[in-house]
Amino acid sequence: MRFENHSFPSRRVPVAARHGLVATSQPLAVQAGLAVLRDGGNAIDAAIATVATLCVVEPCSTGIGGDAFALIWSAEERRLYGLNASGPAPMALTADFVRSHGLASFPARGGLPVTVPGALRGWELALGQFGTMGLDKLLQQPIVYARKGFPVSPTIARAWVNSTDLLSRLPDSQRVWLPAGRAPRATELFRNPEFASTLQALAENGYDAFYTGDIAAQIATAVRADGGVMTEDDLAAYRAEWVQPIAVDYRDGYTFHEIPPNGQGLAALLALNIVRDFDLRHMTYGSADYYHVLIEAMKLGFVDAHAYVADPRQATVPVEALLSRSYTRERRALIDGRTALWPQSGNPTGHGDTVYLTVADEAGNLVSWIQSLYMGFGSGITAGRTGVQLQNRGANFSLTRGHPNEVAPGKRPYHTIIPGFITHDGRPWASFGVMGGFMQPQGHLQVGVNLIDFGMDPQAALDAPRFNWLQGKEVALEPAIDDAVRAELAQRGHVLRPRGEPLHYGGGQVILRDPDTGVLIGGTEPRNDGAVAGW
């Protein structure tokens, strides 16, 4: 596999390995996954060990009180599986109930936005289909870190302290997450013995120990005590599901795959469909022309996603029509090469905190896994003495009457977390993801274009400076983007946020697999504590 020469100032280099590779946002989690691979486990086993460790060492971003999605390439079957482990609204949660609280939009914190945690049922489904090791073995290292402690890494320490006010609101959250009356500092040891006991219960008794019995009762009680309506029945009824990935053929045999709605991967595919009709390779990389085309395509992808993405079990989502060539040509025609567009959704006929990880093994299995609480520490609720922080995914429901994503009983919300996957001529080529709420489809577009159109290696594709479209004509550019490019984009009508303003441009990981040699090449995010390791 040959890469073009692109260099950006992160000073990281890609990692190559033959037998297996693990990449994620925290080095201790990478080591846990790699240990499983070296012990004879496959990529799916290693992915669960990795994400379980992240639930301990990166608690501001993820936990078993959140949701997950995955794209899993089965080497034996030579096919890509999609996993939806996102939980629904409680059966007693209606739009009228929320409006009765005098709210015009869905609240971001507290009990109302807590949806059923889906992640553990996703672990169950993935390991049951593809795993070779039991949960008892895969949870050994996370239990040790929770019980005996781990040194908090610098980026996580900064995120933690930013949530101090939220965690101070409720006694259980304050006790678990602010044990000294404050957030732990960088390199300080943090222990969560209550969560260690919860993980031990899962290791000994299986997944039902979370969704029924004492743990479920503590979850439901904590949510209702803070204004929510979740019951033990809501938890007991939940199951994750396999879904058919959606895809678009990009160019030169490369195909992008995403999870279907209720995930927002559709936004990335809509933008890629539009970008395919531009000759990016003849634009100078990082030029105003390059950024203009990608920003405009992303705007159009997002406004359609916001208009149509919802739970397909309760709403009609016209995926096929949105991705059709005729509709793509219609949307492509809206882009003026010299003038920024104010985007509006079409009518086809026919910040968040998240962890991402990717794992590849020697047999050719690849896992693209993403799991999250949504905003930092999610709802701010910790479930009794379980050590489990609960997500706030319901914050992305709509209260607009008749909107496809209007909250309803048992409905899954519009979901920001999305794993990515690229095949080449039908064979697995790249497993990748970019974290950061509504930055995620934008990251998929930009990293994917870097890999395919500009031939970057995984590390360079992640190091490259990004844009973050915010709304209307408003867009933020990373400071590394040249002043002359900024000036040209502003002249075209883009409203640029001030340079250096603290905005999120996403963190991510990439693993490429050479289809001829099987060699694995990985990169990790320079914007966080990311790590990649192999053997």
Side-chain angles (χ1 to χ4, degrees):
M1 191 176 297
R2 301 177 68 178
F3 301 106
E4 296 179 19
N5 185 24
H6 292 273
S7 180
F8 302 98
S10 81
R11 298 186 179 178
R12 291 182 184 262
V13 295
V15 175
R18 179 66 184 88
H19 302 291
L21 207 60
V22 182
T24 194
S25 54
Q26 217 279 353
L28 296 178
V30 167
Q31 293 175 39
L34 191 62
V36 167
L37 288 178
R38 294 179 68 92
D39 199 29
N42 64 18
I44 294 82
D45 300 319
I48 300 306
T50 303
V51 76
T53 304
L54 287 166
C55 290
V56 178
V57 302
E58 197 167 338
C60 45
S61 300
T62 196
I64 61 175
D67 284 348
F69 294 90
L71 290 165
I72 300 172
W73 179 270
S74 167
E76 181 179 359
E77 299 180 52
R78 297 182 181 179
R79 73 170 273 203
L80 187 67
Y81 282 80
L83 174 64
N84 185 327
S86 65
M91 292 305 293
L93 188 62
T94 67
D96 285 340
F97 176 80
V98 179
R99 293 186 193 109
S100 72
H101 288 69
L103 298 169
S105 60
F106 218 94
R109 308 286 191 174
L112 279 175
V114 179
T115 48
V116 174
L120 275 175
R121 289 299 190 199
W123 298 9
E124 179 182 33
L125 207 57
L127 283 176
Q129 180 87 5
F130 300 110
T132 67
M133 294 181 172
L135 194 61
D136 54 345
K137 181 174 180 62
L138 299 176
L139 290 181
Q140 286 178 3
Q141 189 61 65
I143 290 171
V144 170
Y145 283 138
R147 182 169 289 137
K148 296 186 177 181
F150 65 94
V152 177
S153 58
T155 300
I156 294 169
R158 289 193 293 272
W160 207 317
V161 76
N162 290 338
S163 295
T164 299
D165 289 346
L166 174 71
L167 298 172
S168 300
R169 192 173 62 88
L170 298 173
D172 288 329
S173 294
Q174 188 175 50
R175 182 188 69 255
V176 173
W177 307 112
L178 306 174
R182 58 168 174 77
R185 300 186 177 102
T187 73
E188 192 171 11
L189 284 179
F190 176 78
R191 299 175 178 86
N192 190 346
E194 296 177 16
F195 190 45
S197 297
T198 294
L199 291 176
Q200 190 66 51
L202 290 169
E204 294 173 0
N205 304 307
Y207 307 93
D208 287 347
F210 181 86
Y211 289 97
T212 62
D214 179 62
I215 294 175
Q218 291 190 65
I219 292 171
T221 298
V223 173
R224 292 198 301 272
D226 202 28
V229 294
M230 186 172 290
T231 68
E232 293 173 59
D233 288 342
D234 292 317
L235 292 157
Y238 177 71
R239 296 293 184 275
E241 63 176 327
W242 295 114
V243 294
Q244 180 62 42
I246 55 176
V248 297
D249 294 327
Y250 186 58
R251 49 173 138 249
D252 300 335
Y254 291 99
T255 300
F256 281 81
H257 305 263
E258 298 278 354
I259 290 288
N262 58 312
Q264 66 172 347
L266 178 62
L269 297 186
L270 290 167
L272 284 159
N273 253 354
I274 294 169
V275 167
R276 175 179 55 187
D277 291 335
F278 289 87
D279 190 358
L280 294 183
R281 290 170 180 166
H282 282 80
M283 298 178 185
T284 301
Y285 177 78
S287 65
D289 288 340
Y290 160 86
Y291 281 114
H292 179 77
V293 166
L294 266 61
I295 291 167
E296 297 298 276
M298 196 68 253
K299 287 180 187 178
L300 293 170
F302 254 130
V303 293
D304 277 343
H306 288 160
Y308 295 106
V309 168
D311 187 342
R313 301 173 307 171
Q314 296 195 30
T316 299
V317 186
V319 172
E320 185 175 348
L322 287 165
L323 294 177
S324 69
R325 291 302 293 154
S326 59
Y327 184 67
T328 300
R329 285 192 295 270
E330 178 185 323
R331 302 298 273 170
R332 157 70 177 85
L334 298 175
I335 297 179
D336 180 338
R338 305 302 302 174
T339 307
L341 175 72
W342 187 278
Q344 294 180 321
S345 58
N347 183 25
T349 55
H351 162 65
D353 287 89
T354 300
V355 296
Y356 173 78
L357 64 103
T358 178
V359 182
D361 64 26
E362 188 173 12
N365 300 299
L366 286 94
V367 178
S368 181
W369 189 286
I370 196 158
Q371 187 166 313
S372 176
L373 298 168
Y374 192 29
M375 300 172 187
F377 283 98
S379 63
I381 299 172
T382 302
R385 294 193 171 269
T386 66
V388 175
Q389 68 281 40
L390 299 173
Q391 67 183 0
N392 60 328
R393 279 292 163 188
N396 275 331
F397 275 125
S398 174
L399 288 182
T400 301
R401 295 183 188 276
H403 191 283
N405 189 43
E406 184 181 13
V407 64
K411 191 174 191 176
R412 298 174 300 195
Y414 178 114
H415 231 290
T416 59
I417 60 174
I418 50 173
F421 205 91
I422 303 172
T423 55
H424 185 238
D425 292 336
R427 296 190 290 177
W429 186 71
S431 174
F432 75 108
V434 176
M435 299 165 277
F438 294 101
M439 181 64 208
Q440 293 185 46
Q442 306 188 63
H444 282 210
L445 170 68
Q446 293 174 78
V447 171
V449 163
N450 290 347
L451 291 169
I452 294 172
D453 290 291
F454 295 96
M456 295 185 192
D457 67 56
Q459 191 57 56
L462 291 165
D463 291 346
R466 300 177 191 145
F467 68 83
N468 182 353
W469 175 73
L470 302 170
Q471 60 182 353
K473 296 185 179 184
E474 190 175 2
V475 64
L477 304 175
E478 282 201 275
I481 294 175
D482 188 75
D483 283 341
V485 172
R486 295 177 63 90
E488 175 62 26
L489 290 172
Q491 186 175 358
R492 298 186 192 191
H494 297 279
V495 179
L496 305 183
R497 295 291 283 266
R499 179 190 289 276
E501 188 176 0
L503 288 167
H504 204 331
Y505 295 92
Q509 281 76 37
V510 177
I511 291 178
L512 295 188
R513 184 178 188 274
D514 188 313
D516 298 318
T517 66
V519 169
L520 305 166
I521 307 103
T524 193
E525 187 56 57
R527 298 163 182 83
N528 59 28
D529 298 327
V532 57
W535 69 295

